[in-house]
Amino acid sequence: MDKKIDGVLLSEEVIEKKVIELAQQIKADYRQEDDLLVVGVLKGANIFMGDLIRKIDLPLEIDFMAVSSYGASTESSGVVRILKDLDADIKGRHVLIIEDIVDTGLTLQYLTDILKRRKVDSLRICTLLDKPSRRKCDLHIDYVGFEIPDRFIVGYGIDYAEKYRNLPYIATVEE
Ligand code: PRP
Ligand code: MN
Ligand code: MG
């Protein structure tokens, strides 16, 4: 099955502005802490996280988690398998999870449940994109870049069948 890009939803310039804005909010909120751990959810968050952390002018560390939904379905099932866990214990730490997009919210609901049990001092979520109309659970998101309609999108880390992650902007594709 082939998909064609049919429009730019968010340009490089628009994304960059938002990334700076989010980084400033994050910096203001964490200015008292000297122990921020930024956790990216692979693979989608990679590009956004790379840009974001370079705009957060605070001492921080980074780590990544890789997860995969069970089943062949393209719909998130809510059952998540951890493919790569965090390298270190996060007990007592301030953890900020970075996502490219929250759709049903099931991936993050599962992840935050797991991480909270590790007795973090604080746990917050930052996502570039949010599709609230698709939500299947009650998930609190602390930092949202853009709320977007339920369109099929690619680019800036987001894939279609693993392709298009390297597009520097976010595009809609024909459905
Ligand atoms: C996508 C996206 C989020 C998740 C959101 O990841 O990057 O991580 O789905 O979906 P949800 O809110 O419905 O759970 P995907 O599982 O496609 O993996 P990828 O990041 O490697 O593309
Ligand atoms: Mn992802
Ligand atoms: Mg994907």
Side-chain angles (χ1 to χ4, degrees):
M1 190 170 53
D2 232 22
K3 297 242 181 214
K4 279 209 188 81
I5 305 264
D6 72 1
V8 176
L9 181 67
L10 299 166
S11 69
E12 283 187 71
E13 292 74 20
V14 165
I15 295 169
E16 196 195 348
K17 260 192 157 170
K18 185 64 76 174
V19 168
I20 290 169
E21 219 178 282
L22 288 169
Q24 282 168 349
Q25 280 179 48
I26 291 166
K27 187 189 170 184
D29 292 351
Y30 288 94
R31 67 189 179 282
Q32 313 280 26
E33 315 301 340
D34 52 11
D35 183 39
L36 175 58
L37 178 67
V38 181
V39 172
V41 184
L42 296 173
K43 303 171 190 167
N46 171 44
I47 310 281
F48 172 46
M49 176 158 151
D51 283 348
L52 183 73
I53 57 172
R54 282 178 290 173
K55 303 290 184 198
I56 303 175
D57 180 21
L58 285 178
L60 58 79
E61 294 176 22
I62 64 170
D63 203 345
F64 297 93
M65 288 192 77
V67 296
S68 105
S69 296
Y70 275 122
S73 150
T74 51
E75 293 275 299
S76 181
S77 62
V79 183
V80 172
R81 191 161 52 104
I82 295 180
L83 303 177
K84 185 227 170 281
D85 205 335
L86 298 174
D87 290 340
D89 189 12
I90 53 171
K91 188 174 173 199
R93 301 197 65 179
H94 296 286
V95 177
L96 176 63
I97 302 178
I98 308 294
E99 261 291 23
D100 49 331
I101 182 164
V102 179
D103 191 66
T104 65
L106 294 173
T107 302
L108 274 185
Q109 187 183 48
Y110 185 88
L111 258 181
T112 51
D113 278 355
I114 290 179
L115 297 185
K116 273 179 199 154
R117 275 189 246 129
R118 298 181 187 176
K119 303 194 182 351
V120 290
D121 230 37
S122 72
L123 185 65
R124 288 188 184 159
I125 296 172
C126 172
T127 187
L128 180 64
L129 306 178
D130 183 14
K131 273 187 186 173
S133 63
R134 296 262 308 160
R135 201 71 90 255
K136 286 189 181 163
C137 59
D138 185 20
L139 181 77
H140 177 75
I141 310 176
D142 301 276
Y143 307 96
V144 177
F146 304 94
E147 282 192 5
I148 59 166
D150 186 16
R151 289 290 316 270
F152 202 111
I153 51 156
V154 294
Y156 200 69
I158 299 166
D159 70 305
Y160 171 67
E162 296 299 327
K163 300 289 198 301
Y164 301 113
R165 294 193 199 271
N166 58 325
L167 272 187
Y169 52 91
I170 291 172
T172 53
V173 289
E174 62 179 23
E175 295 180 62

